[in-house]
């Protein structure tokens, strides 16, 4: 975009998510699971979207416009679905979710933690 930040028609920032994983066992060694899939979810898990299957180089890319989100990588069977069904193997959060985790601490409430 010529303005430096891509936005949706509603004006929400559009985030490009590049997921890179390494060190996971071959999916065939995980029983019924045959692939790794990356997902993005709102921080309260009220909405989930598939970013895509992790390729042979351990990468997947996608985009999202949620302000607070979590990215998870799961082991999935061959069939697709609207939400993950396999175990969550990796998790990451947006910077805004990370800051939200500290919002109720004394430091952010105007006090100082005890030394």
């Amino acid at each position: 975009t010529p303005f430096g930040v891509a936005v949706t028609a509603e004006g929400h920032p559009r985030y490009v998510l590049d997921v890179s994983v390494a060190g996971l066992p071959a999916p065939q060694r995980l029983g019924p699971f045959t692939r790794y899939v990356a997902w993005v979810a709102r921080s309260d898990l009220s909405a989930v979207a598939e970013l895509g299957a992790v390729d042979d180089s351990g990468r997947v890319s996608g985009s999202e416009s949620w302000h607070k989100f979590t990215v998870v990588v799961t082991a999935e069977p061959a069939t697709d679905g609207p939400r993950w069904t396999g175990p969550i193997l990796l998790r990451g959060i947006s910077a805004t979710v990370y800051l939200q985790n500290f919002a109720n601490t004394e430091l952010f409430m105007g006090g100082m933690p005890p030394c």
Side-chain angles (χ1 to χ4, degrees):
T1 176
F3 305 106
V5 176
V7 296
T8 64
E10 297 82 23
H12 300 287
R14 193 102 185 124
Y15 298 98
V16 174
L17 305 172
D18 291 318
V19 178
S20 179
V21 300
L24 295 175
Q28 296 80 10
R29 299 183 67 196
L30 298 175
F33 307 109
T34 60
R35 63 194 178 118
Y36 295 117
V37 179
W39 306 82
V40 62
R42 289 187 182 211
S43 60
D44 63 359
L45 300 180
S46 64
V48 175
E50 182 179 337
L51 285 177
V54 177
D55 65 20
D56 292 338
S57 67
R59 300 184 60 87
V60 63
S61 295
S63 64
E64 190 50 65
S65 61
W66 297 326
H67 185 59
K68 297 177 183 177
F69 58 87
T70 298
V71 175
V72 296
V73 175
T74 63
E76 295 294 327
T79 57
D80 285 328
R83 193 175 177 120
W84 66 81
T85 58
I88 295 174
L89 304 173
L90 301 169
R91 177 183 63 92
I93 58 175
S94 65
T96 50
V97 172
Y98 184 73
L99 289 174
Q100 178 182 343
N101 290 338
F102 296 105
N104 290 327
T105 63
E106 289 185 27
L107 181 62
F108 284 97
M109 301 296 284
M112 293 297 292
C115 295

